[in-house]
Amino acid sequence: MNTIIRKIDKDNIDEETIRQAGQIIRQGGLVAFPTETVYGLGADALQKEAALHIYAAKGRPSDNPLIVHIAELDALDDIVTEVPDKARLLAEQFWPGPLTMILNKSGLVPYETTGGLDTVAVRMPSHPVALALIRESGGYIAAPSANTSGRPSPTMAEHVAEDLSGRIDMLLDGGMVGIGLESTIVDLSGEIPVILRPGAVTQNMLSEIIGEVQMDRGLIAADSGIRPKAPGMKYRHYAPKAQLTVVEGAPDNVVRTIGSLAQELEEDKVGIICVQEHLPEYEYGIVKCIGSLEDETAIARNLYGILRDFDQSGVECIYSEAFDTPNMGQAIMNRLLKAAGQSRINV
Ligand code: TXA
Ligand code: MG
């Protein structure tokens, strides 16, 4: 299959490109597109076969459900059995945006899309290209992140091409995404809302609107063996080719420890991920700056790209500083520790 790649400007969307992409999706094909979180791999959420194409292209286990993306609030009513008050409040506050809600699905949504579950994950993204594509495609696009299963989510079209070129019909290249980590997932199908995956919309932001919100126990104790509730969170999502270890503690100790651990390896076999403020302190190894400590949005946006870069560099060990930033910290550390297979040192 030849993948059509088209550049698209979110501030000046080419209608012909969207028309072509929409037609591919209506016909059951696959189109990768930018969202504000990461690139998605889209197919018609209401066509069984289309969902199956997604699993095949990504090499994704078919018990791992997809997120249905909508562009209008009205579209929600048709794919769920009911919209609880809390869901409506959250939609009013955070949609369009990086929040996914789990609700009970209606008969319209095939089990192929939900990985056999009676619930469906729904999100209204804020990226103008995503919204235009959803509208043009009939209103419901199932889209996981547009990476090969087991690789970091793509934050640039180049990442999508690296993983899926030749396996999908079209790729809309809208440049680098804004947030860089996947949406927050909150399960509203039970009595008390539960966060299944942390993201840019934090627990505090949610509970300000709807009161008590819990964290999935499998998330808090990620190394405890408790099974996370989002099927996708149970997989060792992504393992860099090199062994990644997260070093946390007082900043001086962290810098000193990473510096001396690095010396145990040949210089071109060791990678270091650090904040800009610590960059001058590392004199050995391949050092990548993730952004300023003061700018957590940059840290979130750069994480996946750096992990991909290291995969191509041939390092054997990577040491990363911990990034416990005020708002995005929980999401950043969740993804970093998953990539590290929970390998961490406290100093
Ligand atoms: O930001 C995002 O959410 C991106 C963009 C493209 O929108 N999408 C994304 O999709 O991250 P994906 O498939 O990579 O992650 C979806 C996660 C998986 O962990 C999956 O198991 C979980 O959502 N999920 C989907 N439906 C679910 C359901 N009904 N119940 C529990 N977890 C669900
Ligand atoms: Mg994913």
Side-chain angles (χ1 to χ4, degrees), residues 272-287:
I272 293 171
I273 307 176
C274 71
V275 292
Q276 193 181 320
E277 288 78 358
H278 296 162
L279 198 54
E281 319 238 5
Y282 294 108
E283 289 166 349
Y284 188 88
I286 300 174
V287 187

Side-chain angles (χ1 to χ4, degrees), residues 103-249:
L103 298 164
N104 290 314
K105 83 172 193 73
S106 77
L108 199 60
V109 186
Y111 283 110
E112 283 75 6
T113 296
T114 66
L117 297 176
D118 286 314
T119 52
V120 61
V122 192
R123 169 164 118 80
M124 188 192 295
S126 65
H127 197 292
V129 171
L131 291 171
L133 180 63
I134 296 164
R135 290 190 182 112
E136 187 67 29
S137 306
Y140 301 97
I141 294 188
S145 49
N147 49 286
T148 304
S149 198
R151 296 219 68 208
S153 295
T155 52
M156 304 195 295
E158 289 76 5
H159 298 159
V160 181
E162 224 170 79
D163 285 9
L164 297 176
S165 198
R167 305 176 68 88
I168 61 177
D169 298 288
M170 191 172 191
L171 162 56
L172 299 178
D173 177 356
M176 181 130 183
V177 298
I179 295 174
L181 297 179
E182 306 87 341
S183 61
T184 305
I185 302 179
V186 60
D187 185 352
L188 291 158
S189 67
E191 200 127 301
I192 298 171
V194 183
I195 293 177
L196 307 187
R197 180 174 74 184
V201 175
T202 63
Q203 188 175 19
N204 284 342
M205 289 160 74
L206 293 171
S207 44
E208 265 177 34
I209 309 293
I210 55 166
E212 183 180 6
V213 175
Q214 295 178 347
M215 275 282 167
D216 182 21
R217 292 189 55 218
L219 274 183
I220 303 170
D223 44 4
S224 68
I226 297 174
R227 206 169 163 219
K229 227 188 132 199
M233 300 296 278
K234 75 175 181 256
Y235 299 106
R236 173 146 174 224
H237 213 201
Y238 156 69
K241 290 179 189 150
Q243 172 61 52
L244 170 63
T245 301
V246 180
V247 183
E248 53 197 345

Side-chain angles (χ1 to χ4, degrees), residues 150-152 236-245 273 306-308 310-311 315-318 335-341:
R151 296 219 68 208
R236 173 146 174 224
H237 213 201
Y238 156 69
K241 290 179 189 150
Q243 172 61 52
L244 170 63
T245 301
I273 307 176
I306 288 180
L307 292 173
R308 276 183 183 259
F310 270 132
D311 270 352
V315 299
E316 284 169 6
C317 259
I318 305 168
R335 307 308 194 281
L336 186 61
L337 285 165
K338 265 164 88 74

